[in-house]
Amino acid sequence: MTKPTRPKRSRLVFFLSLSGLLSIGIFFIEWIGSRESGSLALFADAGHIFTDVFAHIISLFALLIASKKPTAKHPFGFHRFEVLAAFLNGLLLIGIAIFILYESYLRFSGTAHVEPNSMLAYALIGFGINLVSAALLVGVSKTSLNLKSAYLHVLSDLLGTLAVVVGALIIRFTGFREVDSFLSVILGIFILKTSYGIVKESIEILIEADTSEFDKEHLLEHIRSLKGIDSVPGITVRKLTSGVFSVELLILVGKDADRDKIVLEIHKVLKSEFGVPFVSVEILSSSLKSQLEDISVRETEREFGHHGHSHGHAHDHHH
């Protein structure tokens, strides 16, 4: 298995910042164009771009926060900020889709005058800049859920601007103004579909659902081949963000097993071969495992804000 790779954070920040600046430029171009052409579609697309600028700011902030080192209070670092940013961006995309569908409904009965030549000119400029922005993010989006959500924002912008271009051409040559509404419905449905995937994946990471991305069977092949290991009854893989995992292992060994050597070898495999930065290994004998399973878990009073640990027996502290 090849070691997961993530581009240097400085490179991600550069591409995301540049894409964000391009989005700001597109917003002003389309906003001016909507005033000159009277195009509601171009104005709506400019508003769509504005939410994209906000999404870039969220993603950039999360990317910088996630680069902070782990601390005693935050042992896994701040990778989840990227996931939170992706979740917020996904919700924002859903809001955009609903707005587009609502606007398309209103346009079916719209009779406002539109100057298609001016509308087409500004839409083509926006489309060209959007292409550059999408090209910047398409590669790095595969390595980060946060960058993926930002890329989907840009992609939805690209499709929205393309819809405006097509709409302007149809209005210019046929006078059929309702085409804006049909294109907007298609675009809204597409954004809903992609945003659902982002929100779903983000929630699965935040609730620490089991991930199918990590090749557990390949890892177990490595571990079971180590001398002294009887079995691996427990393996927990948590996805912290795209390409970053933590792994907890429960290992059963024989009486004469070299436990230190086993722990060292497992850390080597996970960190060097699989690229996992956070590794926890618990080594037990079969008899101890049985005893641990017989211990019942005391019910807590956390729902009442209880933070103590009164438990009916005294502590005899010797100084």
Side-chain angles (χ1 to χ4, degrees), residues 288-300:
L288 178 56
K289 181 176 180 293
S290 299
Q291 294 177 54
L292 293 178
E293 290 174 346
D294 291 337
I295 300 175
S296 60
V297 179
R298 177 181 178 270
E299 292 187 12
T300 66

Side-chain angles (χ1 to χ4, degrees), residues 1 3-5 26 53 72 74 132 138 151 200 222 257 273 313:
M1 178 177 176
K3 180 180 176 179
T5 58
I26 298 169
V53 173
H74 305 98
V132 176
V138 64
Y151 169 67
K200 180 175 179 288
H222 278 273
E273 300 295 327
H313 68 268

Side-chain angles (χ1 to χ4, degrees), residues 8 76 116 133 181 188 209 227 231 238 240 243 249 289-290:
K8 289 184 178 179
F76 294 108
S133 185
S181 299
K227 184 179 179 181
S231 64
R238 292 185 177 90
L240 304 179
L249 289 163
K289 181 176 180 293
S290 299

